[in-house]
């Protein structure tokens, strides 16, 4: 492996700024690594090598000309396939969009482009980002670099796998019900679901949408901070203005965690099933945090009603965005999406009023909790990375899943609060599979959350452990897509969630 690919985004940007590294050289190393590992993990769905090298050359010319350069200038990066990139195939993992080439960038891509990123391709996703296991009928299944028969999580699973495999050090994902956090936990990297409005996520159909978030994933916390400093800030099309902006991120981390009050929960007070290896990882992280000076005690937010807040809000969002497609071309959409859209269409006024009231009560309990604690520590996922050939886990710790979302409750409950949450590595299980934790702070304390996380990272360095991919033979060829990875689990065999 090219040694450049071991470095953080912060280090690479510094090398390019000093003239010791060209964007062309780094981009070629990035493309070479995709060619090397993608036959095993199928993380990258689309590659634009010619365009990427042209953009890298242009970045080098701007640097040679002495121009003022933005924070991520010359850094190669694939983008999540649910995010539109102008002039590049952007499918959202759906047969309905298999040949879609948008004319304009999504906001997050536009901001990354303005920050100097060299777009190189698209990372794989579940169809329309639905579910936390990355497979679709266009490109097949993304697998875990640490165990290529296992899931990489989702929906930002292609990005998480690419980060772990040293394809790139930093990238953007999105998170409604764990789509940044579960793949980060499965792939031994960091993923941040920011507070509402810190990185705007405009919806053409709902200017007040609050559940979905855009955020970064990386192998180093400093790179999360670099990303946030490059792209945070209000958007003119949205009314909401968050009290956090780009300049708030970074700065010195504390020497330790003395004075930080952390509540620990294993099951969120709701009986959420979590397997023994994930509990062991959680307790290991709690001991590390305590050794760094934090006060850690068992205490959770009262999550009563949070399942309904999340489930009904998600259903409304799905019906709003995907309802027309489900109604006109249901044969092009996987059963889980149809179920979620139909749930949204089926909600009546009484249920919507009850959901709003439950969300309001939940926020009152959130304020009470964070009057006593600085952080909530919880499992990063409810189980280890699972068999990549299944659609989703049908049971967790002996508890049967009723829907495709049940195994994701450890993430969904936190989504219902709207709080900023960081997924962080917590070492490996006895089966040598990655495990993670979630650290949750109060609204718009994202920058402080990341500074505390740097203390934990310095004491652990779990993300420095590299996967051994070269000893793995490429899996069976996918149906369609780029000829790498495993086929998607058979949609025809799926039943309604």
């Amino acid at each position: 492996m090219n040694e450049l690919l071991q470095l953080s985004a912060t280090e690479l940007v510094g090398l390019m700024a000093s003239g010791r590294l060209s964007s062309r050289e780094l981009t070629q190393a990035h493309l070479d690594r995709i060619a090397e590992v993608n036959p095993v993990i199928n993380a990258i769905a689309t590659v634009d090598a010619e365009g990427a090298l042209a953009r890298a050359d242009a970045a080098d010319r701007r640097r040679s000309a002495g121009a003022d350069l933005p924070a991520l200038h010359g850094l190669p990066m694939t983008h999540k396939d649910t995010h539109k990139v102008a002039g590049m195939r952007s499918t959202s993992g759906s047969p309905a969009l298999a040949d879609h080439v948008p004319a304009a960038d999504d906001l997050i891509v536009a901001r990354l482009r303005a920050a100097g990123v060299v777009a190189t391709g698209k990372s794989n996703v579940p169809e329309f980002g639905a579910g936390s296991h990355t497979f679709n009928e266009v490109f097949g299944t993304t697998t875990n670099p640490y165990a290529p028969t296992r899931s990489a999580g989702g929906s930002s699973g292609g990005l998480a796998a690419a980060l772990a495999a040293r394809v790139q050090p930093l990238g953007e994902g999105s998170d409604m019900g764990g789509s940044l956090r579960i793949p980060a936990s499965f792939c031994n990297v960091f993923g941040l679901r920011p507070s509402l409005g810190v990185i705007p996520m405009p919806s053409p159909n709902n200017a007040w949408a609050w559940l979905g978030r855009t955020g970064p994933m990386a192998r180093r916390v400093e790179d999360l901070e670099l990303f946030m400093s490059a792209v945070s800030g209000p958007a003119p099309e949205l009314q909401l203005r968050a009290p956090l902006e780009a300049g708030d991120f970074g700065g010195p981390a504390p020497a330790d965690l003395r004075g930080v009050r952390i509540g620990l929960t294993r099951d969120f007070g709701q009986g959420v099933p979590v397997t023994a290896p994930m509990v062991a990882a959680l307790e290991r992280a709690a001991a590390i945090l305590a050794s760094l000076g934090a006060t850690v005690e068992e205490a959770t937010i009262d999550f009563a009603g949070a399942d309904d807040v999340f489930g009904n809000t998600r259903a409304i969002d799905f019906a709003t965005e995907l309802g027309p497609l489900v109604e006109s071309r249901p044969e092009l959409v996987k059963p889980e999406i149809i179920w979620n859209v139909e749930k949204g269409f089926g909600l009546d006024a009484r249920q919507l009023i009850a959901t709003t009231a439950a969300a309001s009560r939940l926020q009152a309990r959130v304020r009470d909790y964070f009057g006593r604690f600085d952080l909530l520590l919880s499992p990063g996922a409810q189980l280890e990375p699972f068999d990549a050939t299944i659609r989703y886990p049908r049971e967790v710790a002996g508890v049967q899943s009723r829907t495709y979302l049940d195994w994701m409750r450890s993430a969904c409950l936190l989504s219902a609060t709207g709080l900023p949450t960081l997924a962080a590595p917590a070492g490996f299980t006895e089966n040598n599979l990655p495990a993670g934790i979630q650290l949750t702070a109060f609204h718009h304390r994202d920058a402080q959350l990341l500074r505390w996380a740097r203390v934990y990272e310095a004491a652990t360095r779990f993300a420095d452990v590299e996967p051994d991919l070269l000893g793995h033979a490429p899996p069976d060829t996918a149906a369609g897509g780029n000829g790498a990875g495993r086929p998607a689990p058979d949609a025809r065999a799926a039943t309604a969630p």
Side-chain angles (χ1 to χ4, degrees):
M1 185 197 308
N2 191 315
E3 292 182 359
L4 289 171
L5 301 177
Q6 309 279 13
L7 301 179
S8 70
T10 303
E11 291 167 328
L12 291 169
V13 169
L15 286 173
M16 287 188 286
S18 70
R20 288 178 289 167
L21 174 65
S22 70
S23 179
R24 171 83 183 209
E25 180 184 359
L26 180 58
T27 300
Q28 187 62 64
H30 165 92
L31 294 170
D32 290 345
R33 186 61 174 169
I34 292 173
E36 185 176 39
V37 302
N38 215 45
V40 180
I41 57 174
N42 194 34
I44 308 305
T46 295
V47 178
D48 178 19
E50 182 179 352
L53 291 172
R55 287 184 280 274
D57 288 340
D60 289 333
R61 288 194 297 271
R62 286 192 292 273
R63 181 176 292 107
S64 297
D68 289 334
L69 301 176
L72 301 177
H73 188 78
L75 186 71
M77 183 183 294
T78 61
H79 296 296
K80 187 173 180 179
D81 201 26
T82 50
H83 295 157
K84 297 182 182 69
V85 177
M88 185 180 292
R89 184 167 64 153
S90 302
T91 75
S92 291
S94 173
L97 298 175
D99 299 313
H100 177 54
V101 179
D105 293 331
D106 274 346
L107 177 65
I108 184 60
V109 173
R111 289 189 174 187
L112 287 167
R113 195 187 295 273
V117 162
V118 171
T120 63
K122 308 300 291 292
S123 60
N124 202 21
V125 296
E127 185 177 354
F128 290 112
S132 202
H133 176 31
T134 298
F135 67 88
N136 61 67
E137 294 184 11
V138 182
F139 298 111
T141 302
T142 296
T143 59
N144 196 307
Y146 293 92
T149 63
R150 304 282 186 126
S151 173
S155 62
S156 308
L159 170 59
L163 294 170
R166 276 54 182 174
V167 167
Q168 63 195 62
L170 176 65
E172 99 284 352
S174 56
D175 186 310
M176 181 176 281
S179 289
L180 279 158
R181 292 164 287 153
I182 291 175
S185 294
F186 274 18
C187 292
N188 193 41
V189 298
F190 293 90
L192 175 67
R193 173 187 165 89
S195 293
L196 181 62
V198 177
I199 300 177
M201 194 174 177
S203 163
N205 300 315
N206 182 4
W208 304 105
W210 63 269
L211 190 60
R213 307 287 166 84
T214 301
M217 197 183 291
R219 296 192 303 269
R220 297 284 295 275
V221 176
E222 67 177 1
D223 287 351
L224 301 180
E225 293 174 314
L226 176 65
F227 183 103
M228 297 299 289
S229 68
V231 304
S232 298
E237 62 265 48
L238 295 179
Q239 301 301 312
L240 176 70
R241 184 183 179 94
L244 266 177
E245 294 197 25
D248 295 309
F249 291 92
D256 54 40
L257 296 179
R258 282 180 291 183
V260 179
R261 304 159 297 170
I262 302 177
L264 164 70
T265 183
R266 295 172 180 81
D267 71 350
F268 301 85
Q270 299 294 307
V272 173
V274 180
T275 62
M278 298 299 100
V279 172
L282 178 70
E283 292 174 345
R284 178 169 59 239
I288 293 168
L289 292 164
S291 74
L292 294 169
T295 300
V296 183
E297 61 181 272
E298 293 196 26
T300 184
I301 299 167
D302 181 353
F303 285 97
D307 286 304
D308 286 340
V309 171
F310 174 82
N312 291 344
T313 305
R314 177 187 175 94
I316 293 166
D317 287 352
F318 266 62
T320 300
E321 302 297 336
L322 296 175
L325 175 61
V326 167
E327 289 188 313
S328 63
R329 299 294 303 277
E331 72 279 6
L332 294 179
V333 184
K334 68 181 183 180
E336 292 88 348
I337 293 175
I338 295 172
W339 170 81
N340 235 150
V341 167
E342 289 178 345
K343 178 178 178 178
F345 284 150
L347 294 171
D348 62 25
R350 291 182 184 277
Q351 289 170 302
L352 297 178
I353 292 168
T355 300
T356 301
S360 300
R361 293 191 296 270
L362 179 60
Q363 287 307 314
R365 297 193 296 269
V366 162
R367 289 192 296 273
D368 175 73
Y369 182 86
F370 284 99
R372 296 176 288 121
F373 294 94
D374 299 299
L375 294 170
L376 174 66
L377 170 63
S378 60
Q382 291 169 234
L383 75 170
E384 296 170 297
F386 53 84
D387 178 358
T389 65
I390 66 174
R391 298 181 72 82
Y392 61 89
R394 296 290 178 169
E395 63 90 19
V396 178
V399 178
Q400 296 297 309
S401 298
R402 299 165 300 164
T403 78
Y404 82 108
L405 299 172
D406 284 0
W407 74 273
M408 299 159 47
R409 283 181 73 203
S410 58
C412 298
L413 288 168
L414 289 168
S415 294
T417 68
L419 296 166
T421 299
L422 176 72
F428 292 78
T429 70
E430 292 182 355
N431 295 326
N432 293 318
L433 294 171
I437 56 169
Q438 296 180 98
L439 289 168
T440 301
F442 192 58
H443 298 294
H444 298 115
R445 292 182 184 167
D446 310 47
Q448 181 62 67
L449 170 61
L450 293 177
R451 285 191 284 270
W452 284 329
R454 265 192 280 151
V455 179
Y456 170 81
E457 177 190 27
T460 58
R461 306 299 296 205
F462 290 131
D464 289 352
V465 178
E466 296 176 32
D468 177 15
L469 279 167
L470 299 187
H472 292 280
D476 296 334
T477 301
N482 57 11
R486 288 176 172 76
D490 189 358
R492 292 167 297 179
T495 57

